[in-house]
Amino acid sequence: MIIETFRQAIQNVWSNKLRTFLTMLGIIIGVMAVIVIVGLGNGMTKSMRDSFSAMGTNTLSVSIWGYGSRTASVDDVYDIVKKNPDLLESISPQIDFSSNTPKVGTNLYGVDEDYTEMKNYTLAKGRNLQYMDMKDDKQVCVIGDYINRTAFGGNGMGKTIKLGPYKFRIVGVLNAKISDPTMQQGNDDDCIYLP
């Protein structure tokens, strides 16, 4: 019985070559379409995850534009983390001074000691900004790899950089976030961080 059924199937396939070819073509195209769609979906998912992880793991940025009707002191903002340790690990304000940038360095930010850790930056040389830098209004800064290479020839540690009328001593240099040196200008490696 099985042998007879198999023989009939082979005869039908052989006698209807065009129908067999079109059926096989439909199955091949369908399987290829599913594989391509799944591959594109996985690639897009990976791209989105990489893009979000580049921002910093578990990071939430809140931007305030204009003048709000509510006021909160700096201590009130830091107390949010202390009151919700199960939800928040740390907090760091960021003030953008980019309109006052020097000739080198397109991004100039005022941050606190937790900022570089929150953004997953690592130091190549020196130290990070510290709490006492903020408390004592020290004129120190941490610079990105691009500024270290272009403005100081890779030897920026301990030197000073003039920002407007003020001079800041460089206490730290960050590792490059972008491996291609030609793509660093205007990105995370082209930044100066002040207390």
Side-chain angles (χ1 to χ4, degrees), residues 29-195:
I29 290 173
V31 169
M32 282 179 43
V34 168
I35 290 171
V36 167
I37 289 171
V38 168
L40 287 173
N42 288 342
M44 205 52 150
T45 302
K46 185 180 181 325
S47 172
M48 292 301 288
R49 282 186 184 151
D50 291 346
S51 147
F52 281 117
S53 70
M55 290 183 210
T57 53
N58 302 327
T59 300
L60 173 66
S61 289
V62 178
S63 299
I64 300 172
W65 297 89
Y67 298 102
S69 59
R70 296 182 184 189
T71 57
S73 70
V74 173
D75 291 331
D76 290 341
V77 175
Y78 281 106
D79 285 341
I80 294 171
V81 176
K82 291 176 187 171
K83 291 177 183 175
N84 301 292
D86 53 328
L87 301 174
L88 302 169
E89 190 174 310
S90 62
I91 189 170
S92 176
Q94 175 185 340
I95 301 172
D96 189 351
F97 296 111
S98 295
S99 59
N100 301 326
T101 56
K103 292 179 183 174
V104 211
T106 49
N107 300 314
L108 180 61
Y109 299 114
V111 297
D112 75 359
E113 70 275 10
D114 295 325
Y115 184 79
T116 53
E117 184 180 334
M118 287 172 52
K119 295 288 277 183
N120 292 328
Y121 294 150
T122 56
L123 286 166
K125 299 175 188 171
R127 67 170 176 86
N128 192 8
L129 296 175
Q130 298 172 344
Y131 174 74
M132 292 308 290
D133 295 335
M134 275 48 105
K135 186 166 174 58
D136 296 340
D137 291 326
K138 291 185 180 176
Q139 291 186 326
V140 295
C141 66
V142 174
I143 61 172
D145 181 68
Y146 176 77
I147 295 173
N148 186 44
R149 277 187 315 96
T150 56
F152 300 102
N155 299 314
M157 268 300 300
K159 297 195 176 162
T160 59
I161 188 168
K162 189 173 181 186
L163 304 171
Y166 305 104
K167 290 183 179 179
F168 290 84
R169 186 171 51 87
I170 299 168
V171 295
V173 177
L174 298 173
N175 277 321
K177 289 287 265 184
I178 299 170
S179 57
D180 183 2
T182 62
M183 301 297 290
Q184 288 179 329
Q185 186 175 8
N187 288 306
D188 287 348
D189 295 324
D190 191 9
C191 292
I192 300 172
Y193 298 102
L194 309 172

